[in-house]
Amino acid sequence: MNKVFFDKTQNVEVSRITSDGWWLENTLEHVVKGTALGKDFTVNIYKPSSERMIARYDRETDIWSDEITNRTLDEYFNQHGQRFVIGSPDGDYPEWAITEAPPRYDKSTQTVLHINKQWKVFDILIGQSFFDEYGNEFLVSDYNFELPEKHTFTKPPELRLDNYAVKLVGGQWQQLLDYRGEMAYAKDRDNGTDYQIEELGELPETHTLSAPEPFDSWIDKGWKYDIERHRPFKVGEEKQWRDNELTKVLDRIDQYEKDQNYPVELRTSPIQTNEDYLRLLQDRKNLSVYPESSHFPFGERPSLSGLAN
């Protein structure tokens, strides 16, 4: 639009606009004869229909746009409570914008954070001690600190007893027996399981700290030798001994019997007499019936001639 120069000095009713055409206000502008209005004024007056309504002036066509709600001063916040405004009449919130204002808080001692769709005020605790459930101490090093589960700001008590340690139970410190690192032995050795202790507290009634001997059973509140627990191991041990000895005896008998078919000068068996041969046969019998003896496997082993060695 061409500039209009005034033919006399006068006060002119104008709409003042921004550099990009947005209406600012209606006012009177004093103009001098022979001059024209600047780019930030127009005599094409726009009057908002209500508060917060605004329009935009097109200098080329001398036409005002349709009215819109002026969002220039609409405020929003980031997750840390920092305030922003949209800054332009036709602007919009960024995707991350939080439109709900944070609650009042003391910025010198507190912070605010928007989490889980709501504002939360945090005391500034940097440098303060807190403790895990076993009394280990840590220092707060972050803003917006939330005490983790099974932690407390309360210092644990001094220990007064040996073999005890502190533990946080239900938010309260307790002094509990400390067997951590030791072995817990199942009293029921057939169905229970031994394990290394990792937690504080009393042992369950099913276990004990006392280690059993290989063939012990828990009898009358303590470990005692159990012959029935020993029996299957002893049976295997004695049968293996019997089998080894019987093999040697049978080999010696076989050697002697075969030698009888050879000339004397070609025989290799150390058995020289029939009496020794009969003694070997007795060894064979004694070894064969040994597992059926009444005191097997805990009785005495059969006495052997030693001729098979």
Side-chain angles (χ1 to χ4, degrees):
M1 184 182 72
N2 295 328
K3 283 188 176 182
V4 176
F5 291 88
F6 292 88
D7 57 4
K8 62 180 180 179
T9 299
Q10 58 185 302
N11 288 327
V12 180
E13 185 178 0
V14 295
S15 287
R16 189 162 69 92
I17 57 178
T18 65
S19 60
D20 52 356
W22 291 107
W23 178 84
L24 292 173
E25 63 177 345
N26 291 332
T27 186
L28 288 176
E29 181 70 9
H30 181 75
V31 294
V32 178
K33 179 182 177 180
T35 63
L37 291 171
K39 289 185 177 181
D40 50 348
F41 296 98
T42 177
V43 294
N44 185 353
I45 303 300
Y46 160 71
K47 293 183 179 180
S49 62
S50 62
E51 187 178 359
R52 291 201 66 206
M53 299 305 290
I54 197 171
R56 191 173 191 177
Y57 178 68
D58 187 331
R59 292 181 176 86
E60 296 297 324
T61 62
D62 191 29
I63 296 174
W64 287 95
S65 69
D66 292 336
E67 276 191 319
I68 62 171
T69 300
N70 185 359
R71 305 197 66 185
T72 301
L73 298 180
D74 285 3
E75 65 179 10
Y76 60 94
F77 306 86
N78 65 12
Q79 64 173 347
H80 300 289
Q82 184 178 0
R83 180 181 178 274
F84 302 88
V85 294
I86 289 178
S88 62
D90 59 349
D92 201 355
Y93 297 120
E95 290 185 4
W96 50 265
I98 301 165
T99 57
E100 178 190 2
R104 295 174 63 88
Y105 65 100
D106 185 347
K107 292 184 178 180
S108 64
T109 61
Q110 295 176 315
T111 58
V112 69
L113 186 67
H114 195 268
I115 51 176
N116 299 325
K117 298 183 179 181
Q118 61 183 355
W119 290 107
K120 186 171 184 178
V121 176
F122 294 86
D123 291 329
I124 297 175
L125 302 173
I126 291 177
Q128 182 170 330
S129 295
F130 66 101
F131 305 86
D132 67 11
E133 63 178 322
Y134 296 108
N136 297 308
E137 183 177 8
F138 303 89
L139 294 178
V140 177
S141 59
D142 299 315
Y143 291 102
N144 308 320
F145 177 78
E146 288 189 290
L147 192 67
E149 186 179 358
K150 296 183 179 180
H151 287 67
T152 181
F153 289 113
T154 304
K155 185 177 181 179
E158 296 291 334
L159 290 172
R160 298 186 299 272
L161 299 171
D162 293 335
N163 297 324
Y164 276 75
V166 294
K167 185 176 182 181
L168 192 66
V169 180
Q172 301 293 323
W173 288 114
Q174 294 187 14
Q175 297 191 36
L176 303 174
L177 283 167
D178 186 4
Y179 298 128
R180 288 175 296 181
E182 298 188 44
M183 288 298 299
Y185 299 94
K187 296 176 182 178
D188 183 349
R189 300 187 69 186
D190 298 318
N191 302 299
T193 302
D194 301 339
Y195 64 91
Q196 188 173 45
I197 301 170
E198 297 179 352
E199 296 293 332
L200 298 175
E202 298 279 354
L203 284 182
E205 285 297 322
T206 55
H207 287 72
T208 177
L209 293 175
S210 176
E213 294 297 328
F215 305 113
D216 283 356
S217 290
W218 189 263
I219 302 171
D220 296 333
K221 299 182 179 181
W223 294 117
K224 293 183 180 179
Y225 172 72
D226 184 351
I227 192 171
E228 293 307 317
R229 182 174 296 282
H230 192 183
R231 184 178 300 279
F233 296 92
K234 186 65 173 175
V235 166
E237 184 180 74
E238 291 303 298
K239 282 188 174 181
Q240 183 176 8
W241 173 84
R242 190 283 305 264
D243 291 346
N244 290 339
E245 293 300 317
L246 185 58
T247 297
K248 290 189 289 184
V249 169
L250 292 176
D251 287 346
R252 189 66 74 200
I253 291 173
D254 182 67
Q255 182 186 25
Y256 174 78
E257 290 176 344
K258 288 179 178 178
D259 266 4
Q260 303 312 302
N261 298 318
Y262 304 138
V264 173
E265 64 273 15
L266 297 179
R267 295 176 183 177
T268 59
S269 173
I271 306 304
Q272 300 297 321
T273 65
N274 191 57
E275 289 77 7
D276 286 345
Y277 173 60
L278 293 176
R279 291 170 65 191
L280 279 175
L281 293 179
Q282 186 62 50
D283 288 345
R284 182 183 66 175
K285 180 178 180 181
N286 291 342
L287 289 169
S288 297
V289 300
Y290 174 49
E292 283 73 46
S293 61
S294 59
H295 298 293
F296 181 84
F298 296 104
E300 291 187 5
R301 290 174 174 175
S303 178
L304 303 177
S305 66
L307 294 171
N309 296 326

